[in-house]
Amino acid sequence: MHLEEARLIDLEDVSKTFRTPGGEVHALDHVSLRVEPGEIFGIVGQSGAGKSTLIRTVNALEKPDSGTVTVDGAVISQLKGKELREARRRAGMIFQHFNLLSSRTAQANVELALEIAGTGRSERRHRATEILELVGLSDRAGAYPAQLSGGQKQRVGIARALADNPRVLLSDEATSALDPETTRSVLDLIRRLSRELGLTVLLITHEMDVIKRICDSAALMEHGRILEHGPMDELLTTPGSRLAAELFQLGELPDSRGTTIIDVTFTKQTSSEPVIARLAREQGLDVAILGAAMETIHDGTQTGRTRLEIPAATGDQVEAALTYLRSQGLFVEVVR
């Protein structure tokens, strides 16, 4: 595998500190992260976690104090001048507040990136028409931003980001200004474009629903650090994973009453099987369901978690119950 294929987006030990009147802010603290070709990778965290700084290092709007940022084979954190401008063209960017020029039509906004790149007028028009059709806005090419809905504006923003045929698409909270239904349609569009165009997508968000809907992999960021990351199916079956707990919330634990409490993660192979009912019947246990969270994730399959309370029983009975659940392909974690 060539270097550029293996390292489409690769951050190695990246740090960035800002100096403010209140002191130093460590926006990125020795961050290392790799996004594989064709992957949709989500970074989730609260405001101030360092997400925006991270994504700005990927398109070189911020230069790290230390470490390297590689995008599509180019160490973009070390480039300058013409080489940097060329490297930036490999990554399109979509923004939270659209960043469209109000004096330009949808077509002209899409053409803007190509104008800056020096593309000829005829080629600009052809490409803008082509990409507007791809995002479902052919009939709105002549409309100005004030005449477009929020979802339509973001589709223009996506079309503009893709106009110069980048291999990477960066999304900076692109759906946080949209209503839930529009958010879903925009996320579904991003996923479709990723598959059809072979795009690698890096998105940042504070919304867990975004991660669940389209991401192949995810990372949890806090205080400038990556706390955990990996493919979604691995994260969901990692003991003590904060991301799994946030993605599928099961509520507070009840007061201790001599029982055993377990969290059971269902995968696409097991979500439709009545394993809890079988457990109660075959093991003779009055199992209580304390909480459950089930979602249809990006590939159309169901995944989720259930919290069970196993009544006071002997150690052998509890172990037999755990063994049974695991034998059914479930991931089981003893909470208490």
Side-chain angles (χ1 to χ4, degrees), residues 59 62 71 75 84 103 158 162-163 186 221 245 255 311 318 321:
N59 63 5
E62 293 286 355
V71 180
V75 184
L84 176 58
S103 61
I158 293 170
L162 298 179
V186 169
M221 195 167 187
D255 294 336
V318 171

Side-chain angles (χ1 to χ4, degrees), residues 236-299:
L236 291 174
T237 55
T238 298
S241 168
R242 283 182 53 186
L243 255 177
E246 289 292 329
L247 286 167
F248 298 96
Q249 297 184 25
L250 298 176
E252 299 294 326
L253 289 171
D255 294 336
S256 181
R257 47 198 180 208
T259 59
T260 300
I261 296 176
I262 62 174
D263 285 351
V264 180
T265 299
F266 292 80
T267 61
K268 55 189 176 183
Q269 293 87 2
T270 57
S271 60
S272 61
E273 298 295 320
V275 291
I276 297 174
R278 289 177 185 166
L279 170 68
R281 183 174 62 251
E282 296 179 14
Q283 302 289 327
L285 295 173
D286 294 326
V287 179
I289 299 177
L290 301 181
M294 189 73 71
E295 294 279 351
T296 300
I297 57 176
H298 63 76
D299 59 359

Side-chain angles (χ1 to χ4, degrees), residues 175-249:
T175 60
S176 61
L178 305 175
D179 63 75
E181 183 177 352
T182 305
T183 291
R184 288 190 291 271
S185 69
V186 169
L187 291 175
D188 290 347
L189 172 64
I190 291 173
R191 183 155 195 90
R192 176 173 65 81
L193 293 173
S194 171
R195 297 299 177 254
E196 290 181 1
L197 303 179
L199 288 170
T200 299
V201 180
L202 177 63
L203 63 88
I204 63 172
T205 183
H206 63 274
E207 300 172 288
M208 289 294 173
D209 285 345
V210 171
I211 300 295
K212 283 188 285 191
R213 190 163 188 88
I214 68 166
C215 290
D216 303 304
S217 297
L220 176 64
M221 195 167 187
E222 189 174 280
H223 303 306
R225 293 187 174 187
I226 299 292
L227 300 186
E228 56 180 309
H229 65 90
M232 290 291 290
D233 55 352
E234 290 183 12
L235 289 170
L236 291 174
T237 55
T238 298
S241 168
R242 283 182 53 186
L243 255 177
E246 289 292 329
L247 286 167
F248 298 96
Q249 297 184 25

Side-chain angles (χ1 to χ4, degrees), residues 44 63 98 110 133 137 155 160 173 194 231 254 327:
V44 66
K63 185 176 178 63
F98 321 128
V110 174
E133 181 176 357
L137 283 182
R155 286 173 182 263
R160 180 185 57 193
E173 298 276 10
S194 171
S327 73

Side-chain angles (χ1 to χ4, degrees), residues 92-207:
M93 185 86 163
I94 51 178
F95 303 90
Q96 176 180 358
H97 296 296
F98 321 128
N99 287 13
L100 302 180
L101 296 180
S102 60
S103 61
R104 284 179 170 244
T105 64
Q107 172 104 11
N109 266 286
V110 174
E111 289 185 28
L112 179 60
L114 299 172
E115 287 181 40
I116 295 171
T119 305
R121 179 180 296 180
S122 176
E123 186 178 346
R124 289 200 311 264
R125 289 180 176 175
H126 175 76
R127 176 57 179 164
T129 299
E130 179 181 60
I131 203 74
L132 282 171
E133 181 176 357
L134 194 61
V135 301
L137 283 182
S138 294
D139 60 336
R140 304 296 285 159
Y144 290 88
Q147 299 169 313
L148 300 174
S149 68
Q152 290 172 334
K153 290 176 186 177
Q154 196 54 282
R155 286 173 182 263
V156 175
I158 293 170
R160 180 185 57 193
L162 298 179
D164 207 17
N165 292 299
R167 292 190 65 196
V168 173
L169 181 64
L170 307 176
S171 170
D172 185 1
E173 298 276 10
T175 60
S176 61
L178 305 175
D179 63 75
E181 183 177 352
T182 305
T183 291
R184 288 190 291 271
S185 69
V186 169
L187 291 175
D188 290 347
L189 172 64
I190 291 173
R191 183 155 195 90
R192 176 173 65 81
L193 293 173
S194 171
R195 297 299 177 254
E196 290 181 1
L197 303 179
L199 288 170
T200 299
V201 180
L202 177 63
L203 63 88
I204 63 172
T205 183
H206 63 274
E207 300 172 288

Side-chain angles (χ1 to χ4, degrees), residues 15-37:
S15 292
K16 178 69 178 180
T17 298
F18 294 102
R19 289 162 179 82
T20 70
E24 292 186 342
V25 176
H26 299 287
L28 298 177
D29 189 359
H30 300 284
V31 170
S32 294
L33 192 70
R34 174 174 291 183
V35 182
E36 301 296 339

Side-chain angles (χ1 to χ4, degrees), residues 61-81:
L61 292 176
E62 293 286 355
K63 185 176 178 63
D65 298 329
S66 60
T68 59
V69 181
T70 303
V71 180
D72 195 14
V75 184
I76 197 167
S77 54
Q78 298 177 359
L79 299 181
K80 296 180 181 179

